[in-house]
Amino acid sequence: SGPDSSTRSFLERVAAMNLRSPLITGFGVSGRERLELAWKYTNGAISGTAFINELNEANTEEEAIVRLLEKLIPNFKDPETCL
């Protein structure tokens, strides 16, 4: 399911504050849609719980990172070239 209107409204209000410091959000960023919403209104996103969930299911830390990036970045292939 997509981001609800209260999340969007909150991010719009915060973005409208025109803060001097970069703004990074980390609420519910577990999939591509939420990541794109965060990027629309902020300077970055933190995907903490989603990463912890991947760590719990993966065999290694590297595997957890790759699994999360595959969910967040379309056509993700190689950790060396993704960004």
Side-chain angles (χ1 to χ4, degrees):
S1 68
D4 60 46
S5 61
S6 62
T7 300
R8 186 179 307 277
S9 176
F10 171 76
L11 290 173
E12 288 172 349
R13 286 193 318 273
V14 172
M17 292 178 183
N18 295 316
L19 303 172
R20 290 184 288 166
S21 299
L23 180 63
I24 300 174
T25 187
F27 297 101
V29 181
S30 60
R32 181 68 188 178
E33 190 172 351
R34 286 285 179 131
L35 180 64
E36 288 177 353
L37 182 66
W39 282 346
K40 181 175 180 178
Y41 296 104
T42 66
N43 303 100
I46 300 167
S47 191
T49 301
F51 181 56
I52 297 299
N53 291 339
E54 293 300 335
L55 280 172
N56 288 332
E57 294 193 21
N59 294 316
T60 66
E61 290 86 0
E62 183 178 81
E63 180 186 341
I65 292 167
V66 170
R67 289 169 56 137
L68 182 59
L69 290 175
E70 288 172 341
K71 289 180 179 178
L72 298 177
I73 299 172
N75 302 313
F76 175 78
K77 300 278 189 261
D78 180 6
E80 301 295 323
T81 62
C82 71
L83 300 175

